[in-house]
Amino acid sequence: MFVKSLLASVLATTALAATLPRDEPQSMGCGNEHPTEEQLAGHKKMAVAEYTAAMLGTNTSPARRSDIYIDTYVHVVSDSTAPSSWYLSRDTINKQIAVLNQDFRGTGFQYVLRDVDWTINSYWAFNQDEYGMKTSLHRGNYGDLNLYYITDIGPNHTNTGHCPYPVRNASGDTISFDGCVMSAWTTPGGDSRQFSTGRITTHEVGHWHNLIHTFDGYNCNGWGDYVDDTPSESKPSSGCPTGRDTCPSPGLDPIHNHMDYSDDYCRTEFTPGQIARMQSSWNAYRA
């Protein structure tokens, strides 16, 4: 839905990138867990409020909302400056932010790159001591986005990223620990045919905005992601299985949704309901 010429250019760059001797991931590996009961209760309240606003016609369409510009800080953490350690360049970071803004166009959110820093740390680079990494490097407040690109969440390309959901009244360590962690090879020009166009970051920033996986609960009869216009699916997608339908309720599986597990080129959209949820969550947690 949002794919434009800039993203096409990034995809071309990815196709031409030199590959390194790594294992090709068999499926997307987001590390986010099922939300807590408190977080799910918040989703239920938002779902009711959004439905009521839609029925009364008091909600504002995404096209009429003014964009919220979010200060964004990028932290590159590697075990060395060697290409095999994914010591990302400023040019790659610029391409990544361009993909993020392209995918979030029309949602009411855009991301302004304020600064990039580079750190050599062999523990942090392989997902050891995330607390220490974040509390040392985090910038800004709870309304600012911090993106951490480490050499490999591991092992061997099996994990692509993770990002904490927002909480109410964040302070102290909760703010310091905020922010999304991605394997650096998922950025544009990385070595995965499936997951190196930059859209892993789009998925994780969706979590930062409080979106849940579309298949959450693995249950056709449950609440799923607590958003009305994402059809139920019983398990995550893989590849780009056009026409897949794992639940008897109306609608095919949302394989093109940014919050599913399809390959990067297949994930292209957020629904109006997800956009409303991101807006509600911003006002509740980060504004």
Side-chain angles (χ1 to χ4, degrees):
M1 181 181 296
F2 300 128
V3 181
K4 302 292 184 183
S5 59
L6 177 58
L7 189 53
S9 174
V10 170
L11 289 169
T13 300
T14 300
L16 293 172
T19 59
L20 297 175
R22 304 262 185 159
D23 293 336
E24 181 69 22
Q26 297 302 306
S27 63
M28 184 173 162
C30 174
N32 271 52
E33 299 179 353
H34 183 68
T36 66
E37 289 302 315
E38 182 180 357
Q39 290 166 338
L40 293 179
H43 275 283
K44 291 179 181 179
K45 291 180 180 179
M46 291 180 192
V48 171
E50 290 156 9
Y51 177 81
T52 301
M55 292 298 99
L56 296 176
T58 57
N59 57 331
T60 304
S61 68
R64 298 177 60 185
R65 296 188 187 113
S66 298
D67 282 341
I68 296 169
Y69 291 91
I70 298 173
D71 287 348
T72 301
Y73 300 92
V74 171
H75 314 282
V76 178
V77 180
S78 304
D79 64 331
S80 77
T81 59
S84 59
S85 294
W86 297 105
Y87 191 76
L88 302 179
S89 69
R90 180 63 182 246
D91 181 61
T92 297
I93 296 303
N94 288 340
K95 290 178 179 178
Q96 175 61 78
I97 298 300
V99 172
L100 185 64
N101 279 322
Q102 188 69 34
D103 284 343
F104 274 86
R105 184 169 296 171
T107 67
F109 299 101
Q110 291 287 275
Y111 307 89
V112 181
L113 182 60
R114 292 301 185 193
D115 199 9
V116 184
D117 54 64
W118 289 264
T119 300
I120 302 297
N121 187 303
S122 59
Y123 290 100
W124 297 351
F126 292 98
N127 203 32
Q128 302 296 314
D129 190 21
E130 181 178 344
Y131 176 82
M133 177 183 73
K134 284 186 169 181
T135 54
S136 297
L137 300 179
H138 186 276
R139 302 274 299 278
N141 58 39
Y142 208 52
D144 299 326
L145 176 62
N146 281 254
L147 302 175
Y148 299 83
Y149 293 98
I150 68 176
T151 299
D152 197 5
I153 295 176
N156 295 323
H157 277 30
T158 56
N159 290 291
T160 51
H162 55 265
C163 195
Y165 299 111
V167 298
R168 291 187 183 277
N169 303 317
S171 63
D173 282 353
T174 301
I175 295 177
S176 298
F177 196 73
D178 191 43
C180 307
V181 180
M182 284 72 55
S183 291
W185 52 265
T186 66
T187 57
D191 66 350
S192 169
R193 291 168 296 177
Q194 300 145 289
F195 303 115
S196 291
T197 70
R199 280 189 164 160
I200 292 299
T201 297
T202 300
H203 178 97
E204 299 306 338
V205 174
H207 288 315
W208 189 80
H209 282 293
N210 204 32
L211 294 184
I212 306 174
H213 291 139
T214 54
F215 51 84
D216 190 76
Y218 298 84
N219 185 347
C220 293
N221 300 315
W223 283 77
D225 64 353
Y226 292 76
V227 176
D228 279 343
D229 61 357
T230 54
S232 299
E233 63 178 337
S234 64
K235 57 186 179 181
S237 175
S238 180
C240 194
T242 302
R244 194 182 81 154
D245 192 6
T246 59
C247 289
S249 53
L252 298 175
D253 290 359
I255 66 167
H256 299 297
N257 197 280
H258 285 303
M259 302 314 295
D260 203 347
Y261 271 17
S262 305
D263 289 355
D264 276 7
Y265 77 91
C266 191
R267 300 192 318 276
T268 58
E269 62 188 18
F270 293 112
T271 67
Q274 287 175 313
I275 293 171
R277 182 59 47 80
M278 288 191 280
Q279 293 282 344
S280 298
S281 298
W282 177 265
N283 292 331
Y285 301 125
R286 297 193 185 277

